[in-house]
Amino acid sequence: MTKRSIITIPDPVLREVCAPIATVDDDIRALADDMLETMYDAPGIGLAASQIGILKRIFVLDVAKEDAPKEPMVFINPEIVWSSEDLSVYQEGCLSIPDYFEDVERPAEVAVKFLNREGNAQEIRADGLLATCVQHELDHLNGKLFIDYLSKLKRDRVVKKFTKQAKLAGKL
Ligand code: GNR
Ligand code: NI
């Protein structure tokens, strides 16, 4: 397993749409393991492949409580097949936008269809933090970030701050 580095805004890679995975093979399982290691190390509760510069439709997450046993989950080619009318608000953060948190409103419950790490089709119903996290990660695979749900004023402000930082670090 290898820890990968996490890409931050305003890197345009984060705006790319990821491509479906044709076959779930050992390379994909190794990628999932690297993503889990990177996520736990960060630490975060989710990570999408585009956040480490891989433009494939896969994300990992673990929303287990800190004192509980780990519950790593791998979602390949995920699709939301149902969303509740009910909405809920969570304060979201993103490893690609470090130390920035804002409330985001999303469907409270979703049903998500995906391939698991064995390549078998699976469908789960998610609510609470898991529902929010699944939607946040699926957005990443479509080049969308949680700041896209905020006012233009807030979004522009945070993008500007990270752009300035990247320039100072010689990354732009
Ligand atoms: O670690 C993370 N925490 C989090 C909190 C609330 C809503 C979504 C998330 S996902 C985030 C990790 C991340 O950036 N995944 O893409
Ligand atoms: Ni994120």
Side-chain angles (χ1 to χ4, degrees), residues 88-92 104 106-108 110 126-137:
S88 70
V89 175
Y90 265 92
Q91 187 174 68
E92 298 197 18
V104 176
R106 301 182 186 268
V110 292
D127 62 10
L129 181 59
L130 179 61
T132 288
C133 202
V134 161
Q135 294 172 79
H136 175 116
E137 302 312 334

Side-chain angles (χ1 to χ4, degrees), residues 40-103:
Y40 287 125
D41 182 79
I45 58 172
L47 189 75
S50 51
Q51 293 181 278
I52 56 165
I54 308 276
L55 297 177
K56 295 184 198 292
R57 300 190 78 78
I58 175 171
F59 67 75
V60 297
L61 55 84
D62 187 340
V63 296
K65 297 210 175 68
E66 257 181 75
D67 47 0
K70 283 190 167 65
E71 283 179 45
M73 302 173 80
V74 177
F75 295 76
I76 297 163
N77 298 340
E79 281 175 60
I80 287 175
V81 293
W82 172 83
S83 309
S84 63
E85 306 255 324
D86 266 38
L87 304 176
S88 70
V89 175
Y90 265 92
Q91 187 174 68
E92 298 197 18
C94 182
L95 294 171
S96 295
I97 313 169
D99 305 313
Y100 183 74
F101 304 91
E102 284 288 351
D103 283 352

